[in-house]
Amino acid sequence: MSTTSHPSVSLWSDAVLRALLELRQLFQDYKLSLDNSALEDFSKLFEGAERLEQSLGYDSPQGQENKITEEAVDRHELMNILAAIRGYAEMLQEDLGVEQTAITDSLARLVMAIQTADNGSHSAVSISDSAIASDPGFILAVDDRAENRELLARYLSRSGHFVVTAASGDEALQTLAQADVDVVLLDLIMPGMDGREVLRRIKEHEEWRATPVIVISGQQDMEGIIECIEAGADDYLFKPFNPVLLQARIKAGIERKRWHDREEQYRQQLERNEKFIRATFGRYLSDEIVTDILERPEGLELGGDLREVTIMMSDIRGFTTLSETLAPAQVVKMLNRYLGAMTDIIMAHQGTIDEFLGDAILAVFGAPLQREDDADRAVRCALAMQAAMADINAANLADGLPQVETGIALNTGSVIAGNIGSERRSKYGFVGHPMNVTSRIEDHCAGGEILLSDSTLQKLDGRYRVADRRSLQVKGINQAVVVHRLLEVES
């Protein structure tokens, strides 16, 4: 049998063809003792052998004058054929085992001969020589050749993997859209959408880009390898691939995908936890305080710092008397309606609600975040709160509840702002003389009235109408407190 002088073929063609010839002869002796599954695999192996001989330029297994030219050899086609032959040979080795020693030895020699097509040596590792333990994975095998898809599916199914196949790039993308794939085995050369385009689309897709892709190709093109790796391929194997090496690559790919999935689940859990914390604690603390706690855990430490803030205190006039004439459920309904509306207005003006004291609301503008317009926002907030009372009273009237009026006091001064309490229980709060002054001013507010201290008036940048400058003598404070009645924003 003559062989071509083409260097890429001469290294292995004679050895492979001799091994095939030997195997055919042994098969005739053993075929009556083989089961239907083995006979079918031998049939497919010999079909591949015929295609190989045709590709190499032989008209028959016995060989004729060599017709190979360098231009006639299609490396990718040859490697696909060799991959199919090797695949069936290795599965037959495993299935026949020691019961058919002569024919399994012949299959081993064929596998070793095929190995020289890849590296010029006889150092093949068969699937019976080594095994890679791996967690079962969901594998997508993409190849336009039916025999390649079948071999990959059978290889990997024996290792416990769940394998789906796709005959085209479009079919592969449809599968990815419908299933959570652990690893993609991707043939590079396919009609229509080729492997490079499939790879590009996988790595550009937000949900698929973390899926490991192993390119399997008969082309040993270094530029092509670099291009695929740069495009995001996790590995690159040549046909005919070594199944042990393939198993190792798949194991690594599954582990990477598992780590990514766990990280994604952990990230989603953190997001859910953060949303829960914001939703839960946002009912008691301002968004700014919750954010500060989440982003800066050291902010939970007890203590505080000196801040200039504008303090607001409001409550319903005569609420105690009203509550004595109403059923408890009516009191709660009326109170929740009022506090709910006021809370939304305060938060919309970036105020921090310190606490609810029955029907009273204590809020602060200027902590934990300080802004230049803290006093102005407090004043606009107070005006908005009084304006909202009309809607609250309309709803009360519709429910058979009494109409209510609220008084609001505003005062500006320096307080200690921070975490107050103990290690077991604490709150973000405010301590200082201006807090007491605000409470005393609020005691003098009539229904529907807003009183602001002179210290607040001096801090305003906007123009507002005020009236009735008063000097109050309040309990517990020796010095008179100057206040003004706030009317409206000047246009």
Side-chain angles (χ1 to χ4, degrees):
M1 181 185 297
S2 63
T3 183
T4 177
S5 60
H6 188 325
S8 65
V9 176
S10 61
L11 291 172
W12 54 266
S13 59
D14 274 351
V16 171
L17 292 173
R18 280 196 298 269
L20 284 168
L21 181 59
E22 174 194 328
L23 185 62
R24 279 191 176 94
Q25 293 170 347
L26 282 170
F27 174 72
Q28 295 301 321
D29 297 335
Y30 282 89
K31 66 180 181 180
L32 294 178
S33 63
L34 301 176
D35 59 25
N36 290 335
S37 176
L39 290 172
E40 184 177 349
D41 285 347
F42 269 112
S43 175
K44 291 178 179 178
L45 187 155
F46 292 137
E47 285 177 10
E50 291 175 4
R51 294 208 315 272
L52 175 66
E53 290 157 356
Q54 292 169 5
S55 297
L56 292 175
Y58 295 92
D59 292 333
S60 69
Q62 287 72 31
Q64 289 185 2
E65 182 181 355
N66 183 13
K67 300 177 183 179
I68 294 179
T69 64
E70 184 171 347
E71 293 76 14
V73 175
D74 182 339
R75 170 77 182 180
H76 182 72
E77 176 68 14
L78 284 176
M79 294 302 105
N80 267 311
I81 296 171
L82 288 172
I85 296 173
R86 175 174 177 168
Y88 287 113
E90 288 177 324
M91 282 191 292
L92 282 165
Q93 277 184 271
E94 184 178 4
D95 291 342
L96 296 178
V98 296
E99 297 177 2
Q100 309 284 355
T101 303
I103 201 165
T104 54
D105 287 346
S106 179
L107 287 165
R109 287 189 288 274
L110 174 59
V111 170
M112 294 182 69
I114 291 174
Q115 180 72 10
T116 63
D118 196 18
N119 60 14
S121 69
H122 290 267
S123 58
V125 180
S126 72
I127 55 177
S128 59
D129 294 328
S130 181
I132 302 294
S134 171
D135 290 337
F138 190 116
I139 313 299
L140 170 60
V142 188
D143 200 303
D144 61 309
R145 291 178 173 272
E147 65 268 27
N148 290 347
R149 296 195 301 274
E150 179 188 354
L151 282 169
L152 283 169
R154 289 177 64 181
Y155 266 141
L156 301 176
S157 295
R158 291 185 178 199
S159 301
H161 300 298
F162 181 79
V163 186
V164 294
T165 61
S168 67
D170 288 326
E171 189 177 334
L173 297 179
Q174 290 174 8
T175 302
L176 284 165
Q178 297 169 359
D180 184 16
V181 174
D182 291 317
V183 178
V184 177
L185 303 179
L186 181 61
D187 186 31
L188 208 56
I189 298 177
M190 296 184 293
M193 185 188 302
D194 66 7
R196 289 180 177 84
E197 178 62 16
V198 176
L199 175 63
R200 184 187 67 79
R201 295 197 186 188
I202 291 174
K203 295 305 176 179
E204 287 181 353
H205 196 284
E206 184 176 355
E207 296 180 2
W208 305 341
R209 63 172 60 121
T211 304
V213 178
I214 301 173
V215 174
I216 300 178
S217 176
Q219 287 189 327
Q220 297 192 22
D221 174 13
M222 186 55 66
E223 290 185 3
I225 296 172
I226 294 172
E227 180 184 346
C228 288
I229 297 298
E230 289 178 341
D234 295 79
D235 218 323
Y236 198 111
L237 294 179
F238 301 121
K239 296 177 181 178
F241 58 82
N242 184 303
V244 177
L245 187 59
L246 176 64
Q247 285 281 11
R249 298 292 195 264
I250 288 175
K251 177 183 178 181
I254 290 173
E255 289 175 352
R256 282 196 299 274
K257 184 62 162 51
R258 295 284 191 272
W259 273 108
H260 172 270
D261 290 347
R262 282 193 290 269
E263 288 175 356
E264 183 64 17
Q265 290 172 359
Y266 182 59
R267 184 188 64 78
Q268 292 175 359
Q269 183 63 47
L270 287 177
E271 288 182 353
R272 287 193 294 269
N273 289 345
E274 182 172 333
K275 288 180 180 178
F276 171 77
I277 290 171
R278 289 185 183 277
T280 302
F281 289 94
R283 300 175 62 186
Y284 307 97
L285 304 170
S286 72
D287 289 342
E288 291 171 346
I289 296 174
V290 176
T291 298
D292 191 56
I293 291 172
L294 290 172
E295 295 181 356
R296 197 173 57 88
E298 63 273 15
L300 290 171
E301 297 176 1
L302 295 177
D305 53 2
L306 191 65
R307 296 285 187 91
E308 183 176 79
V309 298
T310 296
I311 307 150
M312 170 192 288
M313 191 167 186
S314 71
D315 74 353
I316 297 173
R317 303 291 88 180
F319 180 76
T320 302
T321 302
L322 284 173
S323 62
E324 290 175 353
T325 63
L326 298 173
Q330 290 178 304
V331 174
V332 171
K333 184 174 185 178
M334 183 174 65
L335 194 57
N336 285 343
R337 175 177 291 149
Y338 166 75
L339 294 177
M342 297 300 107
T343 297
D344 290 343
I345 294 170
I346 293 169
M347 290 189 168
H349 288 80
Q350 298 174 308
T352 298
I353 297 176
D354 182 41
E355 57 186 329
F356 297 126
L357 302 168
D359 62 309
I361 304 172
L362 179 61
V364 172
F365 296 78
L369 294 182
Q370 201 161 24
R371 299 175 176 86
E372 293 181 359
D373 65 340
D374 289 328
D376 285 272
R377 283 184 293 102
V379 166
R380 292 194 297 271
C381 179
L383 290 168
M385 290 168 66
Q386 290 291 20
M389 292 305 298
D391 290 337
I392 291 172
N393 282 323
N396 284 346
L397 188 61
D399 289 338
L401 298 172
Q403 299 187 59
V404 295
E405 290 183 315
T406 184
I408 302 175
L410 297 170
N411 180 41
T412 300
S414 295
V415 300
I416 297 296
N419 295 316
I420 301 167
S422 68
E423 293 294 338
R424 289 178 60 85
R425 181 175 177 84
S426 64
K427 59 162 285 186
Y428 188 86
F430 307 90
V431 176
H433 180 67
M435 306 294 293
N436 297 328
V437 173
T438 309
S439 177
R440 297 294 183 260
I441 295 173
E442 195 270 335
D443 289 340
H444 287 77
C445 290
E449 190 174 52
I450 302 171
L451 293 182
L452 65 155
S453 69
D454 198 55
S455 61
T456 299
L457 185 63
Q458 300 304 317
K459 289 292 181 179
L460 297 177
D461 290 330
R463 298 178 63 84
Y464 306 90
R465 285 186 60 216
V466 296
D468 301 338
R469 184 181 186 275
R470 309 176 199 172
S471 182
L472 304 178
Q473 293 293 333
V474 297
K475 182 181 177 181
I477 300 174
N478 295 327
Q479 197 172 20
V481 179
V482 178
V483 298
H484 308 263
R485 185 159 60 93
L486 177 65
L487 300 178
E488 61 184 358
V489 179
E490 285 190 354
S491 57

